[in-house]
């Protein structure tokens, strides 16, 4: 059977909340978790229960209120972590434990001061231990982006044999190029004998601005879960942005061989706003899909085309992603069509000749400001003496 569904694993409340200054309390986390469930994500990573009593309490509280979505807790490959995560997830309808360990030689040497063989043993032991508590165990091979593919394949085979149901291949440092990350996933698909027993997951960081591209390359190569955050928030330069991967998959469904997600895309902008407000972390204006300027047109050439037919400069209908709508911003780069259009919207109908004259006056105002407002236009319109026909 062809399986084209991409499971969306949201880690806004775990990896996303690791952003300095963005700490949330339990009430705020519950509000976001409920909104994520409404959005249609498949898995909510609610926190890292052993990390603090507050995080434990949040995972526990989220486990009680979420009814359909899988709730996941992060652990190191350490028995105590796993026991604590299992306790926090006790009330979850669909609990998942996400355990793992470093997989690159850099991590094995510098973080763990150990050998590949010991990593294999610890990984298998932690996975088996987690399976004592839940049926759904995801294993992460930290820094897989820089790991040797042959060793990574052995590690993944080992944890699947030990009971992992999902295998996460993180590009922890955002190092890979899209074709390299795609080849890594393809290597695992072709070289791990029991790979059909687990779902492969992409978890990409954005240090080089490639997280979305890498996640899509992973999905093309056979991964069926993508780990991401609202607004792409996360450690350093952030994680894969949920709204970006979801809309790439939706826009390119055919080219991607029928891949799809179950995300209700109209909820993307409201949820982006909720996360931004709750975390007090503004969204950059030019952010794809959810930035304030994602559907704003300010240059004359673009405005003229857009006003003739929106599709000339917009590949997504703003309504489809719950944005307020397209905006024509009047600046010194705007043209006559945008000016005439705005005058019409605020109640003035001018002839072409009138607009020619008014446009010169408009430019004088526009050169002194970042954006010309409706109030400025009212002033121009009221002072205007029409030219003789
Ligand atoms: O980036 C990473 O490797 C992680 C793991 C803990 C999954 O966040
Ligand atoms: Zn991460």
């Amino acid at each position: 059977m062809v399986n084209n569904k991409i499971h969306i694993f949201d880690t806004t409340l775990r990896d996303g909340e690791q952003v300095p200054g963005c700490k949330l309390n339990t009430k705020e986390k519950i509000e976001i978790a409920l909104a994520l469930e409404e959005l249609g994500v498949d898995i909510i990573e609610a926190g890292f229960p052993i990390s603090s009593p507050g995080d434990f309490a949040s995972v526990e509280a989220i486990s009680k209120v979420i009814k359909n979505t899988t709730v996941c807790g992060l652990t190191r490959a350490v028995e105590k972590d796993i026991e604590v995560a299992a306790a926090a997830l006790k009330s979850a309808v669909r609990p998942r434990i996400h355990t793992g360990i470093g997989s690159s030689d850099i991590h094995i040497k510098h973080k763990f001061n150990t050998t590949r063989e010991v990593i294999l043993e610890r990984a298998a032991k932690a996975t088996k231990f987690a399976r004592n508590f839940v049926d759904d165990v995801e294993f992460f091979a930290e820094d897989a982006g820089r790991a040797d593919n042959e060793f990574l394949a052995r590690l993944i085979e080992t944890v699947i044999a030990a009971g992992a149901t999902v295998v996460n291949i993180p590009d922890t440092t955002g190092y890979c190029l899209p074709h390299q990350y795609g080849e890594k996933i393809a290597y695992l698909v072709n070289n791990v004998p029991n790979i059909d027993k687990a779902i492969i997951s992409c978890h990409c960081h954005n240090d080089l601005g490639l997280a979305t591209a890498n996640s899509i390359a992973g999905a093309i190569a056979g991964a069926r879960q993508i780990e991401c955050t609202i607004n792409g928030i996360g450690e350093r330069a952030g994680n894969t942005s949920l709204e970006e991967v979801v809309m790439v998959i939706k826009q390119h469904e055919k080219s991607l061989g029928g891949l799809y997600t179950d995300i209700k895309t109209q909820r993307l902008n409201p949820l982006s706003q909720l996360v931004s407000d709750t975390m007090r972390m503004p969204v950059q204006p030019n952010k794809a899909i959810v930035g304030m300027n994602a559907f704003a047109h300010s240059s004359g050439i673009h405005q003229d085309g857009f006003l003739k037919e929106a599709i000339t400069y917009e590949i997504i209908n703003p309504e489809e992603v719950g944005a307020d709508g397209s905006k024509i911003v009047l600046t010194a780069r705007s043209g006559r069509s945008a000016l005439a259009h705005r005058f019409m919207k605020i109640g003035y109908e001018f002839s072409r000749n009138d607009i020619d004259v008014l446009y010169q006056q408009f430019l004088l105002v526009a050169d002194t400001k970042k954006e010309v407002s409706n109030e400025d236009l009212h002033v121009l319109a009221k002072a205007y003496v029409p030219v003789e026909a």
Side-chain angles (χ1 to χ4, degrees):
M1 193 182 76
V2 185
N3 181 4
N4 281 339
K5 168 158 167 162
I6 299 293
H7 296 84
I8 295 294
F9 175 114
D10 180 276
T11 183
T12 304
L13 298 176
R14 199 278 298 170
D15 223 344
E17 204 233 10
Q18 291 176 207
V19 175
C22 285
K23 174 110 193 55
L24 300 177
N25 60 38
T26 298
K27 190 166 164 272
E28 291 166 330
K29 285 194 180 178
I30 291 175
E31 187 184 2
I32 292 177
L34 289 169
L36 286 167
E37 181 163 54
E38 283 294 307
L39 178 72
V41 307
D42 301 282
I43 304 104
I44 296 171
E45 187 163 50
F48 183 7
I50 202 159
S51 66
S52 74
D55 228 36
F56 182 94
S58 297
V59 176
E60 194 177 39
I62 290 169
S63 299
K64 287 183 182 149
V65 297
I66 294 298
K67 295 290 171 247
N68 301 309
T69 310
T70 295
V71 179
C72 173
L74 185 78
T75 82
R76 293 166 297 181
V78 170
E79 291 193 352
K80 184 72 190 156
D81 284 30
I82 295 169
E83 281 168 358
V84 170
L89 292 165
K90 203 173 60 221
S91 308
V93 178
R94 295 170 205 272
R96 175 182 293 182
I97 291 179
H98 187 193
T99 190
I101 197 163
S103 64
S104 66
D105 288 333
I106 298 171
H107 276 222
I108 294 171
K109 178 166 178 237
H110 298 291
K111 255 182 83 174
F112 297 101
N113 188 24
T114 190
T115 61
R116 289 180 173 186
E117 294 312 312
V118 171
I119 294 290
L120 290 175
E121 274 169 34
R122 282 189 60 183
K125 205 164 154 237
T127 306
K128 277 194 196 130
F129 189 67
R131 281 297 302 257
N132 292 328
F133 301 96
V134 292
D135 291 336
D136 189 1
V137 173
E138 173 169 341
F139 179 86
F140 67 85
E142 195 179 12
D143 202 23
R146 292 185 297 175
D148 168 60
N149 282 351
E150 256 180 60
F151 173 67
L152 187 61
R154 274 177 68 204
L155 177 60
I156 296 306
E157 182 180 353
T158 302
V159 297
I160 294 175
T165 45
V166 180
V167 287
N168 177 9
I169 313 301
D171 184 19
T172 304
T173 55
Y175 176 72
C176 289
L177 292 169
H179 75 275
Q180 293 169 333
Y181 190 75
E183 280 164 15
K184 192 171 280 284
I185 301 297
Y187 184 88
L188 297 175
V189 169
N190 295 322
N191 291 280
V192 174
N194 52 2
I195 199 69
D196 58 316
K197 307 263 181 322
I199 291 177
I200 300 177
S201 183
C202 307
H203 178 113
C204 297
H205 279 266
N206 205 30
D207 299 66
L208 291 171
L210 292 172
T212 297
N214 284 348
S215 299
I216 297 296
I220 292 170
R224 287 295 175 267
Q225 177 175 288
I226 293 179
E227 308 196 1
C228 43
T229 60
I230 299 292
N231 300 334
I233 59 169
E235 290 262 2
R236 305 182 309 279
N239 286 63
T240 301
S241 146
L242 183 150
E243 54 280 1
E244 290 177 15
V245 282
V246 164
M247 289 313 293
V248 170
I249 291 168
K250 192 163 184 202
Q251 284 290 116
H252 288 284
E253 190 181 340
K254 262 205 198 126
S255 333
L256 293 175
L259 296 183
Y260 68 95
T261 74
D262 283 339
I263 295 297
K264 299 182 186 85
T265 59
Q266 295 89 341
R267 295 183 186 262
L268 287 172
N269 266 273
L271 188 43
S272 157
Q273 203 53 57
L274 174 70
V275 168
S276 166
D277 291 346
T278 320
M279 292 197 165
R280 288 164 284 282
M281 190 172 176
V283 178
Q284 75 190 63
N286 60 327
K287 171 82 181 60
I289 322 293
V290 293
M292 168 172 97
N293 292 344
F295 301 99
H297 307 275
S298 75
S299 85
I301 296 174
H302 288 210
Q303 289 172 336
D304 183 51
F306 172 80
L307 289 170
K308 286 175 177 146
E309 178 55 64
I311 202 175
T312 52
Y313 287 97
E314 274 185 2
I315 58 163
I316 297 169
N317 180 340
E319 280 172 22
E320 199 182 330
V321 292
D324 281 346
S326 312
K327 269 187 288 180
I328 296 280
V329 184
L330 293 180
T331 71
R333 308 288 154 260
S334 299
R336 288 170 177 74
S337 356
L339 181 64
H341 176 258
R342 179 69 69 84
F343 268 134
M344 218 155 69
K345 276 191 95 171
I346 63 171
Y348 304 94
E349 216 162 312
F350 290 114
S351 70
R352 202 177 254 253
N353 286 345
D354 292 332
I355 287 294
D356 278 343
V357 178
L358 278 161
Y359 183 63
Q360 299 311 319
Q361 297 172 7
F362 159 81
L363 285 180
L364 296 178
V365 178
D367 265 339
T368 66
K369 331 184 75 180
K370 291 204 189 313
E371 189 179 334
V372 178
S373 65
N374 287 348
E375 287 67 41
D376 297 323
L377 296 189
H378 282 301
V379 173
L380 287 184
K382 284 180 182 142
Y384 179 63
V385 181
V387 279
E388 293 301 320

